Amino acid sequence: MGFKIEGLGTATPKYGVAQEDAAAIAETLTGDTESRSRVISGLYRRSGVRFRHSVAVESGRPGRDNVKQNGESESLSRADASIPAAESEEGLAVATMDSIQTGLLRHVEHQQSVTQSFYPPASGPDDRGPSTATRLNAYEKHAGPLAVVAARRAIESAGWQANEVTHLITVSCTGFAAPGIDLALITGCGLNLGVQRTHIGFMGCHGAINGLRVAKAFAEADPNARLLICAVELCSLHQQYGWDPEHIVSNALFADGAAAVVGQRTSNASSVSENRSERAPSVTATGSTLLAETDDLMGWRIGDHGFEMSLSAQVPAVIERSLREWMTQWLAEHDLTIDRVRNWAIHPGGPKILRSCANALSLEESQWAASTSVLADFGNMSSPTVLFVLERLLDSDQSLGGDGSFPCVMLAFGPGLSIEAVLLR
């Protein structure tokens, strides 16, 4: 048995910011001296990120879900339509197949300047920006609607009716509210009021994998379960002021987004599905481990001015040193070896983390290219990001569909230091 993913949907905020513009904003929050500006500019260039979406951006470059074509608004369901763009007659971004396939983010000639008022320039060296309460008010306003868009797309892509969902699993680590995103999804998607709810909170970038683990358990325990898992994160609400090196690194990477999947027990799943029929993957196993004596290398804590990320520069080296041994043992439990895994959906925590995984597992660049391109086009959106990577794999020319394309491993890391994995067949 297992959990078959029958539908997948993603969503991003209305506007976003190119990385060079994000760097310019960051400079105003750190003291804005010439030497600091040079450091920030260089760090942002090397981040592997070209564009990020944010609910804090009030106007500027249209995000993936705010492109226009032929003068009409169009919501794109494919992760690959991420504003790789051409210029329309109105000077707006229009997704084209050429730009989607190349994955390039092109500047629009008549692009508007970025407008945001959530983060005013630092008033002095002790300014730490908006309070946690202000940031969480923004989370409560924006998280639910974004989650609803992703969930609707997942339900639609599976050909389901919303009232067929029996179990709802929500994932988030960037905010809290009650009633929360579960209620927003019930009302916004038209789910049954008796849907059974489970929330996975504050687990970090691997939260979606934890959600898939819970979905697999529910599906195997109840043959009638039809599940919706939705992960939504608004990381940009926790931009940090000041000159802390670890904060500056996280400021350069994190972004906002939502992703959702629907599915049921593999043995129950439809043999024909309108959009992803023959290539729909099944979660057949999950794995988890903690690396000893690494609990101080990554953290996510609530401060007076937002949630604060700590990320040691040692993390990539630790992953590269430790990953292969554990992965070898875990795959062996499922009669697999690393070289028999055809595709890898690795959470793009940053370019160094991706490279450390590739080195540890001796991967060809093509095997983790989807993770690199998602990082470039969306940044690190925490828990939904690995599902954006899976969507890109499914939608690419070299998709998971077709004989010989399985198995695939989804992989993510989090505080602990923890490794979480999903085996897809």
Side-chain angles (χ1 to χ4, degrees), residues 202-206 290 294-295 298-300 309 413-418:
F202 222 69
M203 293 201 75
C205 293
H206 57 63
L290 289 171
T294 61
D295 57 302
M298 185 185 298
W300 184 232
M309 180 76 185
F413 308 90
L417 190 66
S418 59

Side-chain angles (χ1 to χ4, degrees), residues 111-342:
Q111 158 187 346
Q112 293 176 300
S113 60
V114 174
T115 301
Q116 69 84 29
S117 57
F118 195 78
Y119 294 112
S123 60
D126 296 325
D127 189 355
R128 292 296 175 262
S131 68
T132 299
T134 297
R135 298 172 194 246
L136 291 187
N137 286 339
Y139 174 91
E140 186 171 1
K141 175 182 178 181
H142 295 289
L146 191 62
V148 166
V149 174
R152 285 176 174 171
R153 290 175 176 169
I155 293 168
E156 180 181 356
S157 72
W160 287 18
Q161 298 298 314
N163 60 9
E164 295 180 73
V165 175
T166 61
H167 293 70
L168 171 62
I169 300 167
T170 52
V171 180
S172 191
C173 69
T174 49
F176 304 96
I181 54 176
D182 52 350
L183 182 63
L185 287 164
I186 291 170
T187 57
C189 296
L191 304 183
N192 192 305
L193 295 181
V195 68
Q196 299 184 52
R197 297 170 292 153
T198 302
H199 182 63
I200 296 171
F202 222 69
M203 293 201 75
C205 293
H206 57 63
I209 290 181
N210 300 94
L212 291 172
R213 177 179 297 125
V214 172
K216 177 177 180 290
F218 284 168
E220 292 177 344
D222 181 356
N224 297 314
R226 294 170 74 86
L227 298 109
L228 166 62
I229 306 100
C230 185
V232 59
E233 305 289 7
L234 305 184
C235 305
S236 73
L237 295 180
H238 300 289
Q239 177 103 1
Q240 294 297 304
Y241 284 47
W243 193 248
D244 182 300
E246 292 185 6
H247 290 167
I248 292 169
V249 171
S250 61
N251 288 346
L253 294 170
F254 283 95
D256 302 347
V261 299
V262 296
Q264 59 183 313
R265 182 189 288 191
T266 299
S267 58
N268 294 347
S270 304
S271 59
V272 178
S273 171
E274 185 175 344
N275 295 321
R276 302 178 187 272
S277 55
E278 299 173 357
R279 50 187 179 152
S282 289
V283 176
T284 60
T286 67
S288 179
T289 192
L290 289 171
L291 303 180
E293 300 180 357
T294 61
D295 57 302
D296 60 337
L297 298 186
M298 185 185 298
W300 184 232
R301 294 178 173 85
I302 301 174
D304 293 336
H305 298 273
F307 299 176
E308 299 180 16
M309 180 76 185
S310 59
L311 183 63
S312 169
Q314 300 177 49
V315 169
V318 171
I319 290 173
E320 186 165 343
R321 191 166 59 241
S322 309
L323 178 58
R324 188 177 187 90
E325 180 180 0
W326 177 79
M327 183 61 66
T328 299
Q329 294 173 351
W330 178 64
L331 288 175
E333 296 172 6
H334 305 287
D335 300 318
L336 284 171
T337 56
I338 290 172
D339 62 344
R340 288 178 57 200
V341 177
R342 297 296 300 273

Side-chain angles (χ1 to χ4, degrees), residues 7-142:
L8 194 161
T10 59
T12 55
K14 185 176 182 180
Y15 294 110
V17 58
Q19 191 70 334
E20 59 267 31
D21 295 325
I25 294 171
E27 291 170 11
T28 70
L29 311 182
T30 60
D32 201 16
T33 65
E34 184 177 349
S35 60
R36 290 182 177 183
S37 295
R38 286 197 300 269
V39 170
I40 290 174
S41 178
L43 176 64
Y44 275 56
R45 282 197 307 271
R46 296 188 300 272
S47 66
V49 179
R50 289 192 295 260
F51 187 82
R52 291 183 279 169
H53 298 79
S54 171
V55 297
V57 176
E58 297 153 5
S59 68
R61 182 171 175 172
R64 183 197 70 178
D65 293 345
N66 190 35
V67 299
K68 291 191 176 182
Q69 191 165 16
N70 298 324
E72 294 183 359
S73 209
E74 179 181 283
S75 293
L76 300 179
S77 60
R78 293 184 48 165
D80 284 343
S82 64
I83 305 294
E87 186 183 348
S88 73
E89 292 180 359
E90 296 91 348
L92 298 173
V94 179
T96 67
M97 287 306 299
D98 286 342
S99 59
I100 288 170
Q101 290 167 354
T102 61
L104 297 175
L105 294 175
R106 298 171 55 191
H107 284 289
V108 179
E109 183 178 350
H110 303 300
Q111 158 187 346
Q112 293 176 300
S113 60
V114 174
T115 301
Q116 69 84 29
S117 57
F118 195 78
Y119 294 112
S123 60
D126 296 325
D127 189 355
R128 292 296 175 262
S131 68
T132 299
T134 297
R135 298 172 194 246
L136 291 187
N137 286 339
Y139 174 91
E140 186 171 1
K141 175 182 178 181
H142 295 289

